[in-house]
Amino acid sequence: MAITLVNPGGLPESDVYRQVSIASGSKLVFIAGQVAWDAEGAVIGEGDLAAQVEQCYLNIGTALAAAGGSFDDVAKLTVYVVDWTPDKMPLLLEGISRAAAKLGVTPVPPATLLGVAALDIPDHLVEIEATAVLD
């Protein structure tokens, strides 16, 4: 496996992500920010943050598979949420959990969460980009 995820001593531990990703592979995969579109470009989960997070993760899974990888190869995620407030965290985690169950993975790579004013269209509540490393 090209990615090792760790929570080193001296940094706080989190159940939902690891602090450090150590990459030893040679093929870098950069996945554009994924929004809650299905394959036909229709918005999934209009007004539903959990449903949109789930679709974003499923889209990332599709992109990873096309590159010959999976969530086990993800070195870093960046999550952009419109009008982020901490009370939205349960919805974010619910969407991740639902996608993880469908994908059969535990996605815990290092992640950065950013609140933003808006995304590409008003119906999109979240966008997630990924960087993966494959052998």
Side-chain angles (χ1 to χ4, degrees):
M1 192 176 314
I3 300 291
T4 303
L5 302 176
V6 296
N7 274 325
L11 293 177
E13 281 197 34
S14 172
D15 292 336
V16 297
Y17 68 92
R18 302 298 175 263
Q19 294 284 2
V20 177
S21 175
I22 302 165
S24 60
S26 59
K27 182 178 179 182
L28 298 177
V29 179
F30 300 94
I31 298 173
Q34 296 298 302
V35 293
W37 275 329
D38 66 10
E40 288 76 40
V43 174
I44 301 298
E46 190 172 334
D48 183 342
L49 180 61
Q52 290 201 13
V53 169
E54 177 182 5
Q55 186 64 41
C56 291
Y57 270 76
L58 295 175
N59 290 349
I60 290 169
T62 298
L64 288 165
S70 72
F71 262 94
D72 290 336
D73 302 305
V74 174
K76 174 84 167 59
L77 293 171
T78 304
V79 180
Y80 304 90
V81 180
V82 174
D83 297 325
W84 173 257
T85 55
D87 63 311
K88 293 181 181 178
M89 184 61 81
L91 293 172
L92 180 76
L93 296 176
E94 177 185 335
I96 294 169
S97 178
R98 292 189 331 216
K102 286 183 178 177
L103 294 166
V105 299
T106 304
V108 293
T112 299
L113 173 62
L114 299 167
V116 296
L119 292 170
D120 59 334
I121 64 170
D123 290 338
H124 289 153
L125 304 176
V126 61
E127 183 168 337
I128 304 172
E129 62 185 21
T131 301
V133 181
L134 286 66
D135 286 325

